[in-house]
Amino acid sequence: MSEIRSRKKFNAGEFTLGVHSWLTYIFLYLPMAILVIFSFNKARINAVWTGFTFEWYKVLFNDTALAGALVNSLIVAFISTAIATVIGTLTAIAMYRYKFPGKGLFDSVLYMPIIVPDIVMGISLLSFYVFIRFTLGLVSIIIAHVAFNISFVALVVRARLHGYNKTLDEAAMDLGANPFQTFMKVTLPLILPGVVSAALIAFTLSFDDYLITSFVAGIGSTTLPIKVYSMMKFGVTPEINALSTLILFISMILILISQRLGA
Amino acid sequence: MKDFLLRYKSWGKEGKAGFLISPAFLWLLLFFLIPLGIIFVYSFCERGNYGGVNWNFTFENYKQVLNPVYLKTILYSFWIAILNTVICLLIGYPMAYYISTRKSTVFKNILLILVILPFWTDFLVRTYAWLVILREGGLINTILLQMGIIQEPLKLLFTDLAVIIGLVYGYLPFMILPLYASIEKLDPSLIEAAYDLGANGFNVFWKVILPLTSPGIIAGSILVFVPTLGAYITPDLLGGAKVMMIGNLIQQQFLKVKNWPFGSSLSFIVLIIVLALLIIYIKFGEPEVEK
């Protein structure tokens, strides 16, 4: 009797859980869907559907200021991702393989950039650059992006290393490989999916960053998010809808590939 | 190169580890820890005339924090951060529970990916989407006007409500993922045992499930609370000039008012709170598997 009742109750609970979850998924995705739909809307001002158009995308592709910002963003994202991926991967390997004094403390410092609010990181870096009289530009942005991406790369690669068999490295060493050969021919190929997965996330984070970049960017080093933000502050336009749709699309593709590789 | 490799091989564990972590350590020391140190020093300096600082020691900046005008913004930010954390927890917990109790692995992974995607994708664009929906000529107002429910457009954008919606929307995935990780580890036999011993559904949840998933609750709450406390983009875009949080105040002090020492003291207060929470997280949050 009690078993039947509890099962019945469980099902009602199960149903409520399901409805709640699916409503939340709608909450998460509907706003993005609306944004995408309106980027194809002919109407310039109002939120009324007046017909399908590619017009706003055409406008985007002819905007040279936007193209300049995109090039800056790509330069920053590629270089900062490359540096952060190498440094972050080495760190993850060290943290996985070795115990050393001060490991716990270093671990906390390593993950601090993930949790410290962007605004604090942005103004502290700005103060630092001004203090040492470092000219703000693409280099100052790249340095900042590497600083937060090292932590993300280390985190993702380390998660991947959990299933890694240390004896493979030892076997390679026993067979006469030097540490560099062991890394290039044994360790790296095995953890490569994790490393690429981390690099894709680092690239997305760098490409999307507005707040930290806005503090450490100089004249002439406007990145795409800074340009987009200044456009958004003036209000909603179909061009921003189109641009946002493209950014959303690129981010999601990169994250999906990253997830597939990292799984 | 060969010499180096031979030498590397002869180093002990500490030496090898030190070599591998040194680039990260140096980078974080130079471009993360030292900048935070500079902020700390600035927060005890006097304000310079045209931005920058005068090197005279003072507590004035921390006293200024207690000025009612600024204190109001700080307390408001705390209130919003707590509110957002609670809302995300209430929405996120049942959802994480639902995802982790799916039987089919494929279905579970799809549900999970649908949370991971917004977790990593562009925060700015996701916030902007609400601008499209909430503004005066936006989707909600257009629909309500056309249906004849309202005659005048509602003031939805640039309100506290808009900021709350934006923050919940922005940070919900940060709550769900650690909760999922925690609930996923839950041993179902413990729940069965509790039922067998006569506990009702409420007691099973309150006395078994909730305590066992508390690491996820702590981790998720910190991951939502901290960035909300330092939020800048959401209050700026969806709150306009009407809603101000600590993040906006810091930005204003640095870039508009040019009072760097005061901006630094505000940042340092935020940093201290973050560090305190980080310590709580390390102690009570997700236990490390290795070590």
mmCIF file of all heavy atoms in Angstrom, chain A residues 14 17 20-22 25 27-29 45 91 115 119 123 143 158 208 211 229 233 241 247, chain B residues 24 27 91 94-95 98 102 111 114 118 122 124 128 135 169 226 232 236 247 267 290:
data_model
loop_
_atom_site.group_PDB
_atom_site.id
_atom_site.type_symbol
_atom_site.label_atom_id
_atom_site.label_comp_id
_atom_site.label_asym_id
_atom_site.label_seq_id
_atom_site.Cartn_x
_atom_site.Cartn_y
_atom_site.Cartn_z
ATOM 1 N N GLU A 14 7.912 13.615 -10.558
ATOM 2 C CA GLU A 14 8.658 13.436 -11.797
ATOM 3 C C GLU A 14 8.083 14.316 -12.915
ATOM 4 O O GLU A 14 8.811 14.972 -13.649
ATOM 5 C CB GLU A 14 8.606 11.951 -12.191
ATOM 6 C CG GLU A 14 9.187 11.595 -13.529
ATOM 7 C CD GLU A 14 10.709 11.596 -13.534
ATOM 8 O OE1 GLU A 14 11.303 11.573 -12.443
ATOM 9 O OE2 GLU A 14 11.276 11.634 -14.630
ATOM 10 N N LEU A 17 8.867 17.958 -12.214
ATOM 11 C CA LEU A 17 10.281 18.177 -12.527
ATOM 12 C C LEU A 17 10.480 18.386 -14.022
ATOM 13 O O LEU A 17 11.191 19.289 -14.452
ATOM 14 C CB LEU A 17 11.106 16.955 -12.110
ATOM 15 C CG LEU A 17 11.753 16.915 -10.729
ATOM 16 C CD1 LEU A 17 12.632 15.682 -10.628
ATOM 17 C CD2 LEU A 17 12.565 18.158 -10.473
ATOM 18 N N HIS A 20 8.975 21.733 -15.231
ATOM 19 C CA HIS A 20 9.857 22.806 -14.758
ATOM 20 C C HIS A 20 11.113 22.904 -15.628
ATOM 21 O O HIS A 20 11.503 23.981 -16.068
ATOM 22 C CB HIS A 20 10.241 22.535 -13.292
ATOM 23 C CG HIS A 20 11.351 23.405 -12.799
ATOM 24 N ND1 HIS A 20 11.125 24.659 -12.281
ATOM 25 C CD2 HIS A 20 12.693 23.223 -12.755
ATOM 26 C CE1 HIS A 20 12.287 25.205 -11.934
ATOM 27 N NE2 HIS A 20 13.253 24.359 -12.201
ATOM 28 N N SER A 21 11.730 21.730 -15.890
ATOM 29 C CA SER A 21 12.983 21.727 -16.644
ATOM 30 C C SER A 21 12.784 22.199 -18.074
ATOM 31 O O SER A 21 13.574 22.989 -18.590
ATOM 32 C CB SER A 21 13.596 20.332 -16.639
ATOM 33 O OG SER A 21 13.815 19.925 -15.307
ATOM 34 N N TRP A 22 11.719 21.740 -18.712
ATOM 35 C CA TRP A 22 11.509 22.140 -20.103
ATOM 36 C C TRP A 22 11.161 23.608 -20.215
ATOM 37 O O TRP A 22 11.590 24.284 -21.166
ATOM 38 C CB TRP A 22 10.476 21.244 -20.784
ATOM 39 C CG TRP A 22 11.108 19.912 -21.057
ATOM 40 C CD1 TRP A 22 10.887 18.747 -20.386
ATOM 41 C CD2 TRP A 22 12.138 19.642 -22.008
ATOM 42 N NE1 TRP A 22 11.718 17.767 -20.870
ATOM 43 C CE2 TRP A 22 12.495 18.278 -21.868
ATOM 44 C CE3 TRP A 22 12.800 20.408 -22.972
ATOM 45 C CZ2 TRP A 22 13.478 17.677 -22.647
ATOM 46 C CZ3 TRP A 22 13.780 19.809 -23.747
ATOM 47 C CH2 TRP A 22 14.112 18.463 -23.593
ATOM 48 N N TYR A 25 14.410 25.345 -20.047
ATOM 49 C CA TYR A 25 15.122 25.288 -21.331
ATOM 50 C C TYR A 25 14.562 26.317 -22.309
ATOM 51 O O TYR A 25 15.310 26.956 -23.049
ATOM 52 C CB TYR A 25 15.041 23.881 -21.944
ATOM 53 C CG TYR A 25 16.083 22.945 -21.385
ATOM 54 C CD1 TYR A 25 15.717 21.818 -20.663
ATOM 55 C CD2 TYR A 25 17.440 23.209 -21.569
ATOM 56 C CE1 TYR A 25 16.670 20.966 -20.137
ATOM 57 C CE2 TYR A 25 18.403 22.364 -21.046
ATOM 58 C CZ TYR A 25 18.015 21.244 -20.332
ATOM 59 O OH TYR A 25 18.967 20.420 -19.813
ATOM 60 N N PHE A 27 13.176 29.127 -21.435
ATOM 61 C CA PHE A 27 13.682 30.396 -20.916
ATOM 62 C C PHE A 27 15.122 30.635 -21.389
ATOM 63 O O PHE A 27 15.494 31.753 -21.744
ATOM 64 C CB PHE A 27 13.602 30.365 -19.384
ATOM 65 C CG PHE A 27 14.306 31.505 -18.691
ATOM 66 C CD1 PHE A 27 13.831 32.803 -18.789
ATOM 67 C CD2 PHE A 27 15.431 31.270 -17.913
ATOM 68 C CE1 PHE A 27 14.474 33.851 -18.133
ATOM 69 C CE2 PHE A 27 16.083 32.310 -17.256
ATOM 70 C CZ PHE A 27 15.597 33.607 -17.369
ATOM 71 N N LEU A 28 15.939 29.564 -21.414
ATOM 72 C CA LEU A 28 17.340 29.716 -21.813
ATOM 73 C C LEU A 28 17.505 29.979 -23.312
ATOM 74 O O LEU A 28 18.416 30.678 -23.722
ATOM 75 C CB LEU A 28 18.143 28.460 -21.427
ATOM 76 C CG LEU A 28 18.601 28.328 -19.972
ATOM 77 C CD1 LEU A 28 19.346 27.006 -19.769
ATOM 78 C CD2 LEU A 28 19.493 29.493 -19.561
ATOM 79 N N TYR A 29 16.628 29.382 -24.119
ATOM 80 C CA TYR A 29 16.858 29.451 -25.567
ATOM 81 C C TYR A 29 15.949 30.399 -26.337
ATOM 82 O O TYR A 29 16.318 30.876 -27.405
ATOM 83 C CB TYR A 29 16.814 28.033 -26.177
ATOM 84 C CG TYR A 29 18.103 27.322 -25.898
ATOM 85 C CD1 TYR A 29 18.287 26.585 -24.737
ATOM 86 C CD2 TYR A 29 19.185 27.453 -26.770
ATOM 87 C CE1 TYR A 29 19.500 25.985 -24.452
ATOM 88 C CE2 TYR A 29 20.399 26.856 -26.495
ATOM 89 C CZ TYR A 29 20.549 26.122 -25.335
ATOM 90 O OH TYR A 29 21.757 25.549 -25.059
ATOM 91 N N ILE A 45 12.575 49.312 -37.343
ATOM 92 C CA ILE A 45 12.421 49.815 -35.976
ATOM 93 C C ILE A 45 11.580 48.906 -35.093
ATOM 94 O O ILE A 45 12.007 48.507 -34.017
ATOM 95 C CB ILE A 45 11.824 51.246 -36.000
ATOM 96 C CG1 ILE A 45 12.797 52.172 -36.744
ATOM 97 C CG2 ILE A 45 11.585 51.756 -34.581
ATOM 98 C CD1 ILE A 45 12.217 53.471 -37.180
ATOM 99 N N THR A 91 51.233 23.383 -17.215
ATOM 100 C CA THR A 91 50.831 23.502 -15.815
ATOM 101 C C THR A 91 49.955 22.327 -15.396
ATOM 102 O O THR A 91 50.160 21.725 -14.345
ATOM 103 C CB THR A 91 50.058 24.815 -15.599
ATOM 104 O OG1 THR A 91 50.825 25.888 -16.126
ATOM 105 C CG2 THR A 91 49.786 25.058 -14.127
ATOM 106 N N ILE A 115 37.566 33.094 -10.847
ATOM 107 C CA ILE A 115 36.511 33.534 -9.944
ATOM 108 C C ILE A 115 36.551 35.033 -9.642
ATOM 109 O O ILE A 115 35.515 35.630 -9.352
ATOM 110 C CB ILE A 115 36.516 32.679 -8.640
ATOM 111 C CG1 ILE A 115 35.242 32.899 -7.842
ATOM 112 C CG2 ILE A 115 37.725 32.911 -7.795
ATOM 113 C CD1 ILE A 115 34.786 31.699 -7.075
ATOM 114 N N ILE A 119 35.631 42.897 -13.626
ATOM 115 C CA ILE A 119 35.828 44.334 -13.420
ATOM 116 C C ILE A 119 37.078 44.575 -12.572
ATOM 117 O O ILE A 119 37.875 45.476 -12.863
ATOM 118 C CB ILE A 119 34.568 44.979 -12.779
ATOM 119 C CG1 ILE A 119 34.727 46.496 -12.638
ATOM 120 C CG2 ILE A 119 34.258 44.438 -11.394
ATOM 121 C CD1 ILE A 119 33.994 47.264 -13.650
ATOM 122 N N ILE A 123 40.430 46.603 -13.958
ATOM 123 C CA ILE A 123 41.008 47.838 -13.416
ATOM 124 C C ILE A 123 42.398 47.598 -12.824
ATOM 125 O O ILE A 123 43.251 48.480 -12.896
ATOM 126 C CB ILE A 123 40.098 48.526 -12.373
ATOM 127 C CG1 ILE A 123 39.788 47.577 -11.225
ATOM 128 C CG2 ILE A 123 38.851 49.091 -12.959
ATOM 129 C CD1 ILE A 123 40.068 48.231 -9.931
ATOM 130 N N ILE A 143 48.146 40.092 -23.405
ATOM 131 C CA ILE A 143 48.692 39.723 -22.086
ATOM 132 C C ILE A 143 47.544 39.457 -21.103
ATOM 133 O O ILE A 143 47.553 38.459 -20.381
ATOM 134 C CB ILE A 143 49.610 40.848 -21.549
ATOM 135 C CG1 ILE A 143 50.914 40.881 -22.349
ATOM 136 C CG2 ILE A 143 49.909 40.641 -20.057
ATOM 137 C CD1 ILE A 143 51.815 42.053 -22.020
ATOM 138 N N ARG A 158 43.381 19.430 -17.191
ATOM 139 C CA ARG A 158 43.543 18.622 -15.993
ATOM 140 C C ARG A 158 42.385 17.635 -15.829
ATOM 141 O O ARG A 158 42.582 16.490 -15.416
ATOM 142 C CB ARG A 158 43.582 19.540 -14.792
ATOM 143 C CG ARG A 158 44.392 18.991 -13.661
ATOM 144 C CD ARG A 158 44.628 20.099 -12.702
ATOM 145 N NE ARG A 158 44.858 19.619 -11.364
ATOM 146 C CZ ARG A 158 44.885 20.428 -10.326
ATOM 147 N NH1 ARG A 158 44.663 21.713 -10.500
ATOM 148 N NH2 ARG A 158 45.120 19.951 -9.138
ATOM 149 N N ASP A 208 35.171 36.676 -27.147
ATOM 150 C CA ASP A 208 33.943 37.262 -26.609
ATOM 151 C C ASP A 208 34.183 38.324 -25.546
ATOM 152 O O ASP A 208 33.263 39.038 -25.175
ATOM 153 C CB ASP A 208 33.071 36.170 -25.948
ATOM 154 C CG ASP A 208 32.466 35.232 -26.972
ATOM 155 O OD1 ASP A 208 32.570 35.542 -28.169
ATOM 156 O OD2 ASP A 208 31.906 34.200 -26.580
ATOM 157 N N LEU A 211 34.558 43.135 -21.053
ATOM 158 C CA LEU A 211 34.838 43.982 -19.894
ATOM 159 C C LEU A 211 36.332 44.208 -19.646
ATOM 160 O O LEU A 211 36.784 45.351 -19.561
ATOM 161 C CB LEU A 211 34.167 43.378 -18.652
ATOM 162 C CG LEU A 211 33.976 44.352 -17.492
ATOM 163 C CD1 LEU A 211 33.324 45.642 -17.940
ATOM 164 C CD2 LEU A 211 33.162 43.701 -16.387
ATOM 165 N N TYR A 229 29.551 46.561 -28.282
ATOM 166 C CA TYR A 229 28.993 47.165 -27.064
ATOM 167 C C TYR A 229 28.628 48.623 -27.291
ATOM 168 O O TYR A 229 27.556 49.072 -26.875
ATOM 169 C CB TYR A 229 29.995 47.050 -25.913
ATOM 170 C CG TYR A 229 29.354 47.196 -24.547
ATOM 171 C CD1 TYR A 229 28.752 46.108 -23.945
ATOM 172 C CD2 TYR A 229 29.339 48.411 -23.881
ATOM 173 C CE1 TYR A 229 28.157 46.220 -22.705
ATOM 174 C CE2 TYR A 229 28.739 48.539 -22.638
ATOM 175 C CZ TYR A 229 28.158 47.433 -22.046
ATOM 176 O OH TYR A 229 27.556 47.542 -20.826
ATOM 177 N N LYS A 233 24.802 50.226 -26.905
ATOM 178 C CA LYS A 233 24.441 51.315 -25.994
ATOM 179 C C LYS A 233 23.535 52.346 -26.683
ATOM 180 O O LYS A 233 22.802 53.065 -26.034
ATOM 181 C CB LYS A 233 25.699 52.019 -25.467
ATOM 182 C CG LYS A 233 26.447 51.252 -24.402
ATOM 183 C CD LYS A 233 25.645 51.075 -23.127
ATOM 184 C CE LYS A 233 25.745 52.295 -22.204
ATOM 185 N NZ LYS A 233 24.943 52.080 -20.977
ATOM 186 N N ASN A 241 21.470 42.869 -34.378
ATOM 187 C CA ASN A 241 20.845 41.544 -34.303
ATOM 188 C C ASN A 241 21.586 40.556 -35.200
ATOM 189 O O ASN A 241 21.879 39.428 -34.791
ATOM 190 C CB ASN A 241 19.381 41.603 -34.746
ATOM 191 C CG ASN A 241 18.523 42.436 -33.812
ATOM 192 O OD1 ASN A 241 18.973 42.836 -32.737
ATOM 193 N ND2 ASN A 241 17.298 42.704 -34.219
ATOM 194 N N ILE A 247 27.927 36.048 -34.069
ATOM 195 C CA ILE A 247 28.812 35.777 -32.930
ATOM 196 C C ILE A 247 28.311 34.553 -32.161
ATOM 197 O O ILE A 247 29.076 33.661 -31.793
ATOM 198 C CB ILE A 247 28.883 37.008 -31.994
ATOM 199 C CG1 ILE A 247 29.585 38.165 -32.708
ATOM 200 C CG2 ILE A 247 29.611 36.667 -30.701
ATOM 201 C CD1 ILE A 247 29.580 39.475 -31.944
ATOM 202 N N ALA B 24 53.476 29.635 -16.086
ATOM 203 C CA ALA B 24 52.167 30.039 -15.553
ATOM 204 C C ALA B 24 52.360 30.880 -14.297
ATOM 205 O O ALA B 24 51.699 31.913 -14.120
ATOM 206 C CB ALA B 24 51.322 28.808 -15.237
ATOM 207 N N TRP B 27 53.620 34.365 -15.230
ATOM 208 C CA TRP B 27 52.589 35.155 -15.915
ATOM 209 C C TRP B 27 51.542 35.645 -14.911
ATOM 210 O O TRP B 27 51.162 36.819 -14.911
ATOM 211 C CB TRP B 27 51.910 34.330 -17.016
ATOM 212 C CG TRP B 27 51.291 35.193 -18.080
ATOM 213 C CD1 TRP B 27 50.167 35.956 -17.944
ATOM 214 C CD2 TRP B 27 51.770 35.411 -19.409
ATOM 215 N NE1 TRP B 27 49.907 36.623 -19.117
ATOM 216 C CE2 TRP B 27 50.876 36.298 -20.034
ATOM 217 C CE3 TRP B 27 52.860 34.910 -20.128
ATOM 218 C CZ2 TRP B 27 51.050 36.718 -21.360
ATOM 219 C CZ3 TRP B 27 53.021 35.323 -21.441
ATOM 220 C CH2 TRP B 27 52.121 36.218 -22.040
ATOM 221 N N ILE B 91 15.584 27.563 -9.259
ATOM 222 C CA ILE B 91 15.300 27.085 -10.617
ATOM 223 C C ILE B 91 16.254 25.950 -10.978
ATOM 224 O O ILE B 91 15.868 24.960 -11.592
ATOM 225 C CB ILE B 91 15.452 28.231 -11.659
ATOM 226 C CG1 ILE B 91 14.471 29.361 -11.364
ATOM 227 C CG2 ILE B 91 15.232 27.700 -13.076
ATOM 228 C CD1 ILE B 91 14.609 30.555 -12.291
ATOM 229 N N PRO B 94 16.029 21.745 -9.122
ATOM 230 C CA PRO B 94 15.143 20.722 -9.722
ATOM 231 C C PRO B 94 15.582 20.339 -11.136
ATOM 232 O O PRO B 94 15.487 19.179 -11.526
ATOM 233 C CB PRO B 94 13.766 21.403 -9.770
ATOM 234 C CG PRO B 94 13.871 22.632 -8.964
ATOM 235 C CD PRO B 94 15.310 22.957 -8.744
ATOM 236 N N MET B 95 16.101 21.329 -11.872
ATOM 237 C CA MET B 95 16.524 21.054 -13.236
ATOM 238 C C MET B 95 17.741 20.124 -13.246
ATOM 239 O O MET B 95 17.782 19.161 -14.013
ATOM 240 C CB MET B 95 16.867 22.368 -13.928
ATOM 241 C CG MET B 95 17.219 22.183 -15.368
ATOM 242 S SD MET B 95 16.736 23.629 -16.254
ATOM 243 C CE MET B 95 17.596 23.390 -17.775
ATOM 244 N N TYR B 98 16.584 16.749 -12.432
ATOM 245 C CA TYR B 98 15.910 16.131 -13.583
ATOM 246 C C TYR B 98 16.940 15.577 -14.564
ATOM 247 O O TYR B 98 16.846 14.429 -14.999
ATOM 248 C CB TYR B 98 15.019 17.165 -14.267
ATOM 249 C CG TYR B 98 14.318 16.677 -15.508
ATOM 250 C CD1 TYR B 98 13.197 15.858 -15.425
ATOM 251 C CD2 TYR B 98 14.786 17.031 -16.775
ATOM 252 C CE1 TYR B 98 12.549 15.406 -16.561
ATOM 253 C CE2 TYR B 98 14.143 16.583 -17.918
ATOM 254 C CZ TYR B 98 13.024 15.772 -17.808
ATOM 255 O OH TYR B 98 12.399 15.323 -18.936
ATOM 256 N N ARG B 102 17.936 11.176 -15.571
ATOM 257 C CA ARG B 102 17.488 10.572 -16.839
ATOM 258 C C ARG B 102 18.180 9.219 -17.019
ATOM 259 O O ARG B 102 19.368 9.081 -16.723
ATOM 260 C CB ARG B 102 17.825 11.473 -18.035
ATOM 261 C CG ARG B 102 17.048 12.788 -18.197
ATOM 262 C CD ARG B 102 15.579 12.669 -18.018
ATOM 263 N NE ARG B 102 15.246 12.832 -16.605
ATOM 264 C CZ ARG B 102 14.120 12.416 -16.049
ATOM 265 N NH1 ARG B 102 13.209 11.807 -16.762
ATOM 266 N NH2 ARG B 102 13.889 12.606 -14.775
ATOM 267 N N LEU B 111 20.701 16.968 -22.846
ATOM 268 C CA LEU B 111 20.206 17.937 -21.862
ATOM 269 C C LEU B 111 21.357 18.722 -21.251
ATOM 270 O O LEU B 111 21.254 19.924 -21.015
ATOM 271 C CB LEU B 111 19.428 17.221 -20.755
ATOM 272 C CG LEU B 111 18.069 16.642 -21.130
ATOM 273 C CD1 LEU B 111 17.446 15.935 -19.926
ATOM 274 C CD2 LEU B 111 17.132 17.721 -21.642
ATOM 275 N N LEU B 114 22.872 21.293 -23.620
ATOM 276 C CA LEU B 114 21.994 22.462 -23.738
ATOM 277 C C LEU B 114 22.206 23.448 -22.590
ATOM 278 O O LEU B 114 21.842 24.618 -22.688
ATOM 279 C CB LEU B 114 20.530 22.024 -23.791
ATOM 280 C CG LEU B 114 20.085 21.374 -25.105
ATOM 281 C CD1 LEU B 114 18.663 20.854 -24.993
ATOM 282 C CD2 LEU B 114 20.209 22.349 -26.266
ATOM 283 N N PRO B 118 25.059 27.674 -23.317
ATOM 284 C CA PRO B 118 24.990 29.057 -22.814
ATOM 285 C C PRO B 118 26.021 29.378 -21.741
ATOM 286 O O PRO B 118 26.379 30.523 -21.557
ATOM 287 C CB PRO B 118 23.565 29.178 -22.247
ATOM 288 C CG PRO B 118 23.023 27.819 -22.172
ATOM 289 C CD PRO B 118 23.794 26.962 -23.110
ATOM 290 N N ASP B 122 28.827 33.718 -25.618
ATOM 291 C CA ASP B 122 28.934 35.152 -25.407
ATOM 292 C C ASP B 122 27.895 35.741 -24.456
ATOM 293 O O ASP B 122 26.707 35.795 -24.757
ATOM 294 C CB ASP B 122 28.798 35.829 -26.768
ATOM 295 C CG ASP B 122 29.373 37.213 -26.725
ATOM 296 O OD1 ASP B 122 29.022 37.986 -25.820
ATOM 297 O OD2 ASP B 122 30.185 37.521 -27.594
ATOM 298 N N LEU B 124 27.639 38.852 -23.498
ATOM 299 C CA LEU B 124 27.167 40.145 -24.010
ATOM 300 C C LEU B 124 25.966 39.963 -24.943
ATOM 301 O O LEU B 124 24.937 40.618 -24.795
ATOM 302 C CB LEU B 124 28.333 40.811 -24.746
ATOM 303 C CG LEU B 124 28.155 42.235 -25.238
ATOM 304 C CD1 LEU B 124 27.754 43.140 -24.108
ATOM 305 C CD2 LEU B 124 29.453 42.716 -25.879
ATOM 306 N N TYR B 128 22.103 41.088 -24.516
ATOM 307 C CA TYR B 128 21.493 41.956 -25.521
ATOM 308 C C TYR B 128 20.139 41.419 -25.992
ATOM 309 O O TYR B 128 19.222 42.191 -26.288
ATOM 310 C CB TYR B 128 22.460 42.109 -26.708
ATOM 311 C CG TYR B 128 21.853 42.761 -27.918
ATOM 312 C CD1 TYR B 128 21.660 44.137 -27.969
ATOM 313 C CD2 TYR B 128 21.455 42.007 -29.020
ATOM 314 C CE1 TYR B 128 21.102 44.739 -29.080
ATOM 315 C CE2 TYR B 128 20.898 42.591 -30.132
ATOM 316 C CZ TYR B 128 20.719 43.960 -30.153
ATOM 317 O OH TYR B 128 20.146 44.548 -31.246
ATOM 318 N N ARG B 135 12.580 46.181 -24.561
ATOM 319 C CA ARG B 135 12.548 47.624 -24.829
ATOM 320 C C ARG B 135 11.140 48.095 -25.206
ATOM 321 O O ARG B 135 10.251 47.280 -25.453
ATOM 322 C CB ARG B 135 13.562 47.988 -25.907
ATOM 323 C CG ARG B 135 13.123 47.583 -27.297
ATOM 324 C CD ARG B 135 14.273 47.566 -28.269
ATOM 325 N NE ARG B 135 13.829 46.925 -29.482
ATOM 326 C CZ ARG B 135 13.506 47.597 -30.601
ATOM 327 N NH1 ARG B 135 13.613 48.895 -30.659
ATOM 328 N NH2 ARG B 135 13.092 46.938 -31.664
ATOM 329 N N TYR B 169 19.197 34.963 -16.155
ATOM 330 C CA TYR B 169 19.434 34.387 -17.474
ATOM 331 C C TYR B 169 20.927 34.146 -17.702
ATOM 332 O O TYR B 169 21.336 33.104 -18.202
ATOM 333 C CB TYR B 169 18.899 35.351 -18.535
ATOM 334 C CG TYR B 169 18.956 34.799 -19.933
ATOM 335 C CD1 TYR B 169 18.101 33.779 -20.309
ATOM 336 C CD2 TYR B 169 19.851 35.303 -20.870
ATOM 337 C CE1 TYR B 169 18.139 33.269 -21.586
ATOM 338 C CE2 TYR B 169 19.896 34.794 -22.149
ATOM 339 C CZ TYR B 169 19.043 33.779 -22.505
ATOM 340 O OH TYR B 169 19.081 33.264 -23.766
ATOM 341 N N VAL B 226 29.463 35.461 -6.840
ATOM 342 C CA VAL B 226 30.644 36.292 -7.090
ATOM 343 C C VAL B 226 30.533 37.136 -8.368
ATOM 344 O O VAL B 226 30.683 38.351 -8.309
ATOM 345 C CB VAL B 226 31.927 35.433 -7.074
ATOM 346 C CG1 VAL B 226 33.116 36.218 -7.577
ATOM 347 C CG2 VAL B 226 32.193 34.932 -5.665
ATOM 348 N N TYR B 232 28.802 44.031 -14.289
ATOM 349 C CA TYR B 232 28.860 45.358 -14.909
ATOM 350 C C TYR B 232 27.950 45.433 -16.143
ATOM 351 O O TYR B 232 27.132 46.332 -16.269
ATOM 352 C CB TYR B 232 30.302 45.700 -15.310
ATOM 353 C CG TYR B 232 30.374 46.969 -16.121
ATOM 354 C CD1 TYR B 232 30.363 48.205 -15.505
ATOM 355 C CD2 TYR B 232 30.395 46.931 -17.518
ATOM 356 C CE1 TYR B 232 30.385 49.369 -16.237
ATOM 357 C CE2 TYR B 232 30.416 48.090 -18.266
ATOM 358 C CZ TYR B 232 30.414 49.306 -17.620
ATOM 359 O OH TYR B 232 30.410 50.461 -18.350
ATOM 360 N N ASP B 236 24.447 47.682 -16.685
ATOM 361 C CA ASP B 236 24.702 48.782 -17.613
ATOM 362 C C ASP B 236 23.755 48.731 -18.809
ATOM 363 O O ASP B 236 23.177 49.745 -19.202
ATOM 364 C CB ASP B 236 26.158 48.731 -18.084
ATOM 365 C CG ASP B 236 26.555 49.991 -18.849
ATOM 366 O OD1 ASP B 236 26.258 51.086 -18.345
ATOM 367 O OD2 ASP B 236 27.144 49.874 -19.939
ATOM 368 N N GLY B 247 30.056 47.127 -9.583
ATOM 369 C CA GLY B 247 30.844 47.090 -10.808
ATOM 370 C C GLY B 247 30.761 48.395 -11.586
ATOM 371 O O GLY B 247 31.770 48.915 -12.069
ATOM 372 N N SER B 267 37.196 47.958 -5.235
ATOM 373 C CA SER B 267 37.618 46.706 -5.854
ATOM 374 C C SER B 267 38.210 45.779 -4.818
ATOM 375 O O SER B 267 38.013 44.564 -4.861
ATOM 376 C CB SER B 267 38.678 46.955 -6.919
ATOM 377 O OG SER B 267 38.223 47.900 -7.811
ATOM 378 N N GLU B 290 41.883 14.196 -6.898
ATOM 379 C CA GLU B 290 43.298 13.881 -6.691
ATOM 380 C C GLU B 290 43.791 14.630 -5.456
ATOM 381 O O GLU B 290 43.035 15.302 -4.797
ATOM 382 C CB GLU B 290 44.089 14.331 -7.919
ATOM 383 C CG GLU B 290 43.599 15.649 -8.407
ATOM 384 C CD GLU B 290 44.339 16.163 -9.615
ATOM 385 O OE1 GLU B 290 45.511 15.855 -9.752
ATOM 386 O OE2 GLU B 290 43.738 16.892 -10.373
#
